[in-house]
Amino acid sequence: MCSVVGYIGKSLCKGFILEGLKRLEYRGYDSAGFACLDSESKRLLYAKSEGKIDVLYQKISSQALDGYIGMGHTRWSTHGVPSIENAHPQFDCQKNISIVHNGIIENHTELKNILESSGHTFHSDTDTEIIAHLLENLLLSHQTFKAALIDLVNKLEGAYAFICMIQNFPNEMVVVRKRSPICIGIGDNEMFIASDLLAFANKTNKVLFLPDESFTIIKKDSIQLYDFSGKPLIVEAQEINAYWQNIEKNDHESFMIKEIYEQKNAISKTVNFYKDLSTTIWDNLGLSPEFIKNLNNINIFGCGTSWHAAKIAQFFFEKICLIPTNIHLASEFRYMPFFPDKNSLYLSVSQSGETADTLEALRMVTSLNCHVITITNIASSTMVREANGFLLTQAGPEIAVASTKSFSAQLTALYWLSNRLAFEKNIINLNQMHVAESDLLICAEALENTIENYKLLIINELAKKYSLYRKFIFIGRNISYPFAMEAALKLKEISYIFAQSYPAGELKHGSIALIDENTPIVIFSVLDDIIYQKLLSNAHEIKARKGHLIAFAFEHQKELINLADQTFIIPKVNPLLAPLAMTGLMQFFAYQIAKTLGRNIDQPRNLAKSVTVE
Ligand code: F6R
C-alpha cells in the first residue's frame, strides 16, 4: 500500500527518505517519487519513477537533488495506472504545492469538476492531485494559511493521510490525517514523518501519532496540532523503542519460503509468550472476571487470511468455550445492521493492525461501547492503540506479501485464547490448559515435518506437473472448509492460477459440473470420524466423474489415501488443530507451483501487504 515519508530539519533529507521508503517497501507498491526544496535556492526539485525504489534511487543518486525539507512516496495504484504522471508527489498548477498521499479522496470527481471549471489543469488521473489544486485555490481565498487548511480538510471526503510541502513556505510542512495512519518522530531540531514508525526507528523514540481528523503545521523544532475545526490539540508524544533490523532472506531464495519455515518457531514463541503472561493477560485484554462470567457471545472480524483464521477459530470458541461465535468479513460487517451486545466479546484479527476495513469495523464497535480485543502481530499498530485490549502474536516481521507465519500464529493465538477463556469459565482444568499448549507445540512439529517429508517430491516432480493446470478447486468440510478457502487464496495470489474453494457438501448442488480431468481438486481432510465419512463420499463422487483428486489426508485414513491421485499424509494431531498441521505443506505446495511459473512471489502483482484503503 502507499507509504509516505517526510523530513524537516537540520540534515539533508534524501538519504533518510529513500531509506525510510525502502524499510516500508514490503507493503507493496508500483511506483515511487521524491521531492525536496533545494538546500540553497529553496526551489522545488523532484524525481519520480515507475517500478521499484531502486529505479528511483539510480535516477537520483548521482544528482544534486537534496534539501533540508523533503518527502517521498511509494504508490499502490487506486486512481490511475502505475506511471510517472500518476506517481507522487502531485502538484498544483504553479508547482508550488507538493503532496504525497496515502488513502482515497472519495469526492475527487466532484472536486475535480469544480477545479477544472475554475481553470485548473490536471496532469494525472490521481485523486491526490486534487488536494494540491484545491489548496492552491484556498490559499488565494483565505487570509491565513491555517484558515485555508481548515477549509481544505473539511472539503476532502474519504480516508487519507498526506504530507504537504509548499515552496512559498520553505520552513514548514503540513501533515494531515483522517482515518489513515501517520505519525511524526520528534528529533533534536528535526522531525521525521511516516505512515509507519519503522521508517524512522533508530532515529528517535519520541513519536506523536496524529489523532484522527487532525492536521499539523510542523517546523524543525515545533508542532502545531489542530482538529478539523481549527481548535488546537495537545497530544503527548509517546516513547516507543522501535528498532529497525534489516531483515534478510539469509540463505533462502525468498522471504515467503523463509517465513514458511519460520512457522514452527512462530508457534512456539507465541505459546511461550502467552504462558509467561500468566495473570497479567487480563490487563492486556482489558477483561474483568465479571465480563468473562457474563460472556455469552463472540464476534470475530478480519479480512483475507486473517478472516480465514477467524473462520477456523469459530470451531475453537464454540467447541472449547461453548460460546456461540460469529465470524464477519470486516468489509461487509461495517455495512450490515449491527446489534451491539455488551456481553459479547469482539475480536479483530489482523497481522498488520492497520487494514482499513478491519480498523473501521473496530471503530464502529468501540464507538458503541462494546469491548474489542485485537489480535495482531504489530505492537505499535493503530488497532492496538484503538482497541480495548490486545493479544500479540509472536510471528516476527512478515515481509512477503502473502501471509504464512502470521496465519499460523493467529491460529495459535485464537486456539490458546479459547482455552484460556474456557479455563477461566471452569470448563477445562489447568491440566487441560497445559495439554492445549503442548498440542500446539506438537502441531508446530507436524507442520514442519510434513514439509520435509514431501519437499523433494514437490520440488522435483509435483510443482512442474501442477503448474500446467490453469484452474484448481479446493474443498473441505467443517473445520477444513475455511482452510480450503485459505489454500485457494494462497495459490491464486502467488501463482495467478484461478482457484475456487467450496464446502465439499455443496459440490453436488451445482459446482460438480466443473469437474473434469483438467481441474485438480484438492481435498482437505478432517479428524472427526463422522465428517470424514461424509468427506469420503464427496471424494468418491469426484472420482466417479473422473476428477483429478489431490488429498491432504491423515495417516490412518486409508480409503481417502487410496482413492486420491496424489496424497499428502499428515500426522494425527488434536482434531481442532488439523488445519494448522496442514498449513506448512499447503503453503509450500502453492509456493513451488508459483516458483515454477516464475512469479514474483514476495511481491505478487497488484497486491499490497498492508491494505490501508477500503
Ligand atoms: C493474503 C493476505 C491478505 C491479508 C489481508 C488482511 O496472504 O496476506 O489476505 O490477510 O489483507 O491483512 P491483515 O491481516 O494485515 O489485516
Side-chain angles (χ1 to χ4, degrees):
M1 208 67 347
C2 300
S3 297
V4 299
V5 178
Y7 178 87
I8 179 165
K10 60 190 179 193
S11 306
L12 292 173
C13 65
K14 182 168 72 180
F16 161 69
I17 287 172
L18 292 181
E19 162 73 15
L21 290 177
K22 197 91 185 127
R23 289 183 184 185
L24 306 185
E25 183 170 44
Y26 72 97
R27 292 154 58 109
Y29 65 100
D30 43 50
S31 49
F34 168 76
C36 65
L37 298 185
D38 181 64
S39 51
E40 278 162 23
S41 68
K42 306 285 183 225
R43 304 284 308 161
L44 171 73
L45 303 173
Y46 72 95
K48 308 196 227 181
S49 65
E50 260 189 73
K52 297 294 164 200
I53 295 169
D54 292 340
V55 181
L56 179 70
Y57 204 90
Q58 273 172 11
K59 204 168 178 176
I60 60 177
S61 56
S62 56
Q63 294 178 31
L65 186 144
D66 213 343
Y68 297 100
I69 169 169
M71 58 201 198
H73 187 261
T74 46
R75 173 171 185 259
W76 184 81
S77 307
T78 58
H79 296 72
V81 296
S83 67
I84 294 208
E85 293 71 34
N86 289 335
H88 301 196
Q90 291 292 323
F91 310 105
D92 65 332
C93 296
Q94 309 301 323
K95 284 219 168 95
N96 173 38
I97 300 167
S98 317
I99 306 280
V100 290
H101 160 224
N102 173 20
I104 291 181
I105 308 299
E106 284 172 358
N107 57 339
H108 66 102
T109 313
E110 182 195 327
L111 291 172
K112 190 171 182 177
N113 289 341
I114 299 171
L115 289 162
E116 273 178 335
S117 60
S118 66
H120 289 261
T121 307
F122 287 81
H123 300 282
S124 77
D125 303 317
T126 64
D127 51 344
T128 306
E129 195 180 357
I130 278 107
I131 308 174
H133 288 272
L134 185 57
L135 183 57
E136 182 180 20
N137 255 16
L138 297 173
L139 283 174
L140 295 176
S141 59
H142 286 278
Q143 303 256 314
T144 65
F145 186 35
K146 184 180 157 196
L149 291 173
I150 295 168
D151 203 358
L152 173 76
V153 295
N154 284 289
K155 284 196 159 71
L156 299 175
E157 289 169 16
Y160 49 81
F162 64 84
I163 310 176
C164 169
M165 182 175 77
I166 305 178
Q167 200 175 245
N168 291 350
F169 300 105
N171 298 319
E172 51 202 32
M173 282 186 126
V174 175
V175 184
V176 180
R177 175 184 179 199
K178 183 176 179 188
R179 300 232 155 95
S180 293
I182 195 156
C183 54
I184 301 172
I186 304 169
D188 174 18
N189 262 319
E190 57 185 349
M191 302 284 177
F192 309 91
I193 307 140
S195 24
D196 185 321
L197 63 86
L198 266 189
F200 55 75
N202 303 357
K203 298 263 178 216
T204 176
N205 62 358
K206 270 175 86 183
V207 185
L208 178 83
F209 292 98
L210 260 71
D212 197 23
E213 303 209 358
S214 69
F215 70 91
T216 68
I217 301 172
I218 59 173
K219 297 189 173 164
K220 64 180 181 183
D221 53 2
S222 69
I223 298 181
Q224 294 163 266
L225 180 63
Y226 304 98
D227 70 12
F228 275 11
S229 70
K231 196 171 108 217
L233 294 175
I234 297 174
V235 176
E236 290 291 313
Q238 299 181 24
E239 225 172 83
I240 298 190
N241 291 315
Y243 294 102
W244 168 253
Q245 349 141 224
N246 201 4
I247 297 158
E248 304 282 356
K249 289 182 211 157
N250 301 334
D251 294 334
H252 296 281
E253 63 200 17
S254 68
F255 281 109
M256 183 167 171
I257 197 73
K258 175 172 177 259
E259 288 159 6
I260 287 174
Y261 278 114
E262 282 172 350
Q263 292 184 99
K264 181 176 152 189
N265 193 30
I267 296 169
S268 55
K269 263 184 98 175
T270 302
V271 172
N272 291 329
F273 178 73
Y274 296 161
K275 275 180 168 175
D276 288 348
L277 284 178
S278 162
T279 47
T280 61
I281 178 75
W282 305 118
D283 296 336
N284 283 8
L285 298 180
L287 294 180
S288 63
E290 193 61 17
F291 181 87
I292 298 168
K293 205 173 83 206
N294 295 328
L295 182 61
N296 59 15
N297 176 265
I298 294 175
N299 285 279
I300 318 181
F301 50 91
C303 299
T305 292
S306 298
W307 175 54
H308 298 153
K311 285 181 81 69
I312 293 170
Q314 178 176 14
F315 294 85
F316 303 164
F317 288 103
E318 293 193 335
K319 294 212 163 151
I320 300 169
C321 297
L322 312 176
I323 300 177
T325 303
N326 303 306
I327 311 303
H328 311 273
L329 191 54
S331 54
E332 293 294 325
F333 184 49
R334 286 188 63 202
Y335 301 103
M336 301 292 283
F338 178 57
F339 306 98
D341 178 354
K342 297 275 158 35
N343 293 328
S344 176
L345 176 61
Y346 294 84
L347 295 171
S348 73
V349 183
S350 171
Q351 186 283 130
S352 61
E354 301 294 348
T355 300
D357 287 315
T358 312
L359 185 57
E360 289 303 327
L362 181 155
R363 286 174 175 155
M364 177 184 84
V365 178
T366 50
S367 72
L368 293 162
N369 299 322
C370 294
H371 195 93
V372 183
I373 293 173
T374 196
I375 296 187
T376 180
N377 201 30
I378 311 290
S380 58
S381 63
T382 310
M383 282 186 213
V384 168
R385 288 196 302 278
E386 296 199 13
N388 306 96
F390 59 88
L391 189 60
L392 297 175
T393 50
Q394 301 296 310
E398 189 179 66
I399 306 298
V401 165
S403 292
T404 52
K405 60 177 180 170
S406 61
F407 174 68
S408 37
Q410 285 167 347
L411 289 180
T412 304
L414 289 157
Y415 186 75
W416 185 87
L417 182 62
S418 61
N419 278 281
R420 191 66 184 80
L421 286 175
F423 174 59
E424 207 60 27
K425 286 171 94 58
N426 292 325
I427 298 169
I428 62 168
N429 60 30
L430 189 59
N431 186 42
Q432 288 167 304
M433 182 71 219
H434 291 152
V435 170
E437 288 168 344
S438 64
D439 280 351
L440 281 163
L441 302 179
I442 292 167
C443 205
E445 202 71 42
L447 180 155
E448 188 159 300
N449 290 345
T450 44
I451 305 178
E452 284 309 304
N453 291 347
Y454 289 100
K455 185 174 161 180
L456 293 179
L457 178 68
I458 293 175
I459 292 175
N460 296 334
E461 206 181 298
L462 302 182
K464 195 160 168 227
K465 173 174 168 182
Y466 287 110
S467 65
L468 300 175
Y469 290 91
R470 299 301 357 119
K471 48 191 187 323
F472 277 71
I473 293 175
F474 289 80
I475 59 171
R477 273 188 105 110
N478 194 259
I479 199 166
S480 77
Y481 168 53
F483 184 72
M485 296 167 77
E486 172 59 9
L489 176 63
K490 217 78 305 163
L491 183 68
K492 60 191 154 193
E493 67 182 333
I494 58 170
S495 74
Y496 318 151
I497 294 174
F498 184 82
Q500 178 72 46
S501 55
Y502 292 108
E506 269 295 295
L507 274 188
K508 56 188 170 297
H509 298 291
S511 25
I512 203 162
L514 294 172
I515 291 175
D516 61 23
E517 289 123 354
N518 302 320
T519 312
I521 306 204
V522 186
I523 187 167
F524 295 105
S525 192
V526 291
L527 280 157
D528 177 297
D529 284 341
I530 297 171
I531 296 160
Y532 167 66
Q533 288 306 328
K534 306 286 172 207
L535 200 64
L536 201 52
S537 306
N538 302 134
H540 278 290
E541 288 155 13
I542 292 162
K543 284 312 299 170
R545 286 159 183 81
K546 297 199 169 48
H548 183 95
L549 195 64
I550 303 172
F552 281 64
F554 291 90
E555 51 201 1
H556 62 294
Q557 297 175 333
K558 295 284 176 268
E559 210 175 328
L560 181 58
I561 291 170
N562 294 334
L563 193 63
D565 300 275
Q566 174 62 50
T567 314
F568 298 117
I569 300 174
I570 314 290
K572 259 174 106 169
V573 291
N574 178 312
L576 286 172
L577 295 176
L580 185 57
M582 296 190 279
T583 293
L585 190 64
M586 173 277 280
Q587 296 162 343
F588 187 86
F589 183 55
Y591 176 89
Q592 294 300 339
I593 291 175
K595 185 182 163 197
T596 308
L597 292 168
R599 305 303 190 217
N600 179 356
I601 298 182
D602 281 342
Q603 293 187 345
R605 69 181 182 202
N606 306 337
L607 292 187
K609 181 78 184 157
S610 178
V611 185
T612 50
V613 292
E614 287 177 56

